[in-house]
Structure formats: C-alpha cells, structure tokens
Amino acid sequence: STMRGTDAHGRAERFAAVYSAVNRLRSRGLTVPFTWIASDGSCAGRHDQDRVLVPRDAWGIPYNEIRAVMGDCGLNAALDGWSNVLDCTVLGVPSLAWAGGIDSTIAEVATRMGLLLDDGSSVERVSDVVERLLLDDMLRCAYVNELQDRFADHIEAVTVRLFDQIVARVIA
C-alpha cells in the first residue's frame, strides 16, 4: 500500500477502513505486510507486520525506491482514487478504486468487476474488496490485465519509444 499524507478529504476514514480490512485478514492467521511512508505527524507502524519507510531528507523517498517497494506490494491502497495507480498497474499490482477518483477509467473497470468503493464505504465492504483482490487470483489478474490494457501507453517500453520519437524530432 502506498499513499501520501492524510490531509485530503476522506483519506483518514478510507485509511482506517483499509487498515481494518488488513487486520481482519491478519486475525485469520494470514501474513499481510503493510508499508507506511512516514511523514511529519504520521503514526508509526501499529503491527509487527507493518514496515515504515522514513524519508531521508526534505525531498522524500527517491522515485526508484518507491517503485521497488510498489513492485513487492500485493495491493495499492490508492486512497484518493489515483495515488500510484499507473505505476502499480504497470508493475502488476491492483489498486483500490474509489468513486469520484481522478481518472474514470479505474472506476469503470472496478464497477464492471464489482470492486468500486464509495466514499464512506463500510469496513465490511472495504474488507470484501481487499480480500477479493488479495485472495482471488483470477479476479486480481483480470482486473490488473484490463487496467494494463486501458493504460498501455504508460508501459515503460511504450513511453521510452514515445520519448525517443520526441527527441528525434527535437534534434532533427
């Protein structure tokens, strides 16, 4: 899971629901690591399976380090409906989808698969979606594959090719 601060409207409530869902899985004996990115005023890990990343300087944690962490995740919390969704999708990691998110593509795909969360979704509803994405391999693969198809222009090979085209036009 990755997210930036909890100051945006509804993020604290969404986080509480997601973290409750994770703890429900843990209470059933499952190992569910949870990665926190610390910031001023944020709380440290609450559980021995939590991992806390602390920025080393004012610029935060380098992008390549964040991507390496994301590649090892099983689920991106995406509490604002967008945080790291593109990176996680390219890396094969599913993201939670919230109604009213920045990009309607995520909501469209999630709605079709019964995964869309509303602002104020109950802990039970969030737990159901989190469990399905973590434990149902077929659903997780179908969801990520469709998002990858929809966001194909963000795959590294495609972006590098587009960048090379831009450079070639500039130097021509």
Side-chain angles (χ1 to χ4, degrees):
S1 169
T2 59
M3 73 168 198
R4 298 180 183 95
T6 58
D7 55 340
H9 174 71
R11 275 184 167 182
E13 293 80 7
R14 289 176 181 187
F15 173 79
V18 171
Y19 198 70
S20 292
V22 167
N23 282 329
R24 284 180 180 206
L25 289 170
R26 290 170 170 171
S27 71
R28 293 184 359 216
L30 297 171
T31 299
V32 187
F34 196 88
T35 300
W36 300 72
I37 299 175
S39 60
D40 290 339
S42 69
C43 51
R46 301 173 184 176
H47 190 280
D48 61 1
Q49 292 180 27
D50 290 354
R51 175 181 176 202
V52 181
L53 301 178
V54 180
R56 293 186 301 268
D57 57 41
W59 299 105
I61 300 169
Y63 176 71
N64 62 315
E65 291 180 26
I66 294 293
R67 272 195 54 117
V69 169
M70 286 188 288
D72 288 335
C73 288
L75 178 66
N76 175 30
L79 298 176
D80 61 2
W82 189 245
S83 297
N84 302 308
V85 169
L86 290 176
D87 284 311
C88 286
T89 297
V90 168
L91 293 169
V93 177
S95 296
L96 293 180
W98 299 88
I102 294 169
D103 187 307
S104 63
T105 303
I106 303 159
E108 291 168 13
V109 174
T111 297
R112 205 167 37 263
M113 296 186 175
L115 299 170
L116 187 67
L117 296 167
D118 293 314
D119 195 26
S121 284
S122 68
V123 172
E124 290 73 23
R125 171 66 180 149
V126 174
S127 292
D128 175 63
V129 170
V130 167
E131 288 185 28
R132 290 173 63 209
L133 286 171
L134 289 176
L135 303 178
D136 185 336
D137 293 338
M138 296 289 285
L139 175 67
R140 183 177 57 253
C141 287
Y143 180 58
V144 170
N145 284 339
E146 185 162 348
L147 285 175
Q148 285 178 338
D149 287 344
R150 301 286 291 274
F151 294 130
D153 55 339
H154 293 278
I155 296 170
E156 281 88 348
V158 175
T159 58
V160 168
R161 188 179 71 242
L162 293 171
F163 179 76
D164 287 343
Q165 291 172 0
I166 292 168
V167 170
R169 288 179 186 158
V170 169
I171 62 174

